[in-house]
Amino acid sequence: MTQARRRAFFVSDRTGITSENMGDALLEQFENMKFKRSTYPYVDTADKAHGLVQIINRAAEEDEARPLVFSSIVNDEVREIVKTSKGLHLSFFDAFLGVLEEEFGVRARHSVQSRVHNLERYDARMEAVNFSLNHDDGVSDKNLEAADVILMGVSRSGKTPTCLYLALQYGIRAANYPLTPDDLDTTDLPRMVKNHKHKLFGLTIQPERLHDIRQERRPDSRYANLNTCRNEVADAQAMFRRHGIPFTNTTHKSVEELAVAIMQECKLKRRF
């Protein structure tokens, strides 16, 4: 039975990414429920916390249902203030930090620390992002030998977002090459990537989904035509099989799932 929409607050004294990921992973388990999501990052002072409590309490009164508050606030004082709200408070740090302190026999810092404090790791991530941007859509083969992986696939099969995610999350230098009709008309690998066959990984997609994506970009064009999509996808898959290039279907995979699959298949290691 479908339930009334519930308010879900994602709260953090930093960016809010952790609380969003944690909350979404839990809420996805309740497929028949609908949620109105709001994110409040950088709640890092008592004043901000009190202001947020008012917002949560107002939502509770308006909805006559307890809001859900997913929190990754590390500061004890700020977290305790937020917990005075009328929401159901689910804290990442309440759940795990005390357990770890007991296990290690030491008290945690209980304070926010910027991730840029490790400059070596941060620089590795930014270098990987720049590499992916400079080698997007086959714009350059300069330093291509430095790539950890080269994604190949037809236009709009998910190459660019996957490369950037690999760079941001894992520090992987990921380049990508778009297979053009000229590439697909030959039995050989494209010249730019031919010498890097051991680094190639293919992305494919269902033609119907590709048609929908291209239709939004170039409506009613030959590029978006369903038959064009079918032919290109078939030819790309034939190329992958002919040259023994591993590949995966992106149709029903998130960029996170694609990245993990590529990391495992290509035996890549996180740089930070």
Side-chain angles (χ1 to χ4, degrees), residues 197-215:
K197 179 183 173 182
H198 61 293
K199 296 182 178 182
L200 297 178
F201 189 92
L203 298 184
T204 187
I205 187 172
Q206 288 182 357
E208 293 76 15
R209 176 59 180 150
L210 183 61
H211 162 71
D212 291 340
I213 295 172
R214 289 183 173 185
Q215 186 71 3

Side-chain angles (χ1 to χ4, degrees), residues 119-140:
L119 289 177
E120 185 178 350
R121 292 174 62 183
Y122 183 79
D123 288 345
R125 181 167 59 169
M126 292 303 99
E127 189 276 333
V129 171
N130 285 329
F131 184 91
S132 293
L133 290 173
N134 291 332
H135 295 83
D136 184 42
D137 267 351
V139 295
S140 172

Side-chain angles (χ1 to χ4, degrees), residues 28-88:
E28 284 174 359
Q29 301 303 309
F30 302 93
E31 58 184 8
N32 292 325
M33 295 194 65
K34 296 184 181 298
F35 303 96
K36 182 178 180 181
R37 293 164 164 81
S38 300
T39 301
Y40 289 84
Y42 299 111
V43 181
D44 52 6
T45 66
D47 286 344
K48 290 180 181 179
H50 285 300
L52 179 61
V53 167
Q54 293 180 7
I55 294 172
I56 295 171
N57 289 347
R58 188 159 55 245
E61 293 169 3
E62 292 173 354
D63 297 349
E64 297 183 352
R66 187 157 56 152
L68 308 172
V69 182
F70 296 96
S71 166
S72 60
I73 295 176
V74 64
N75 182 276
D76 292 340
E77 178 190 3
V78 174
R79 188 167 71 253
E80 289 303 315
I81 293 172
V82 174
K83 287 169 65 175
T84 65
S85 74
K86 296 178 181 179
L88 172 62

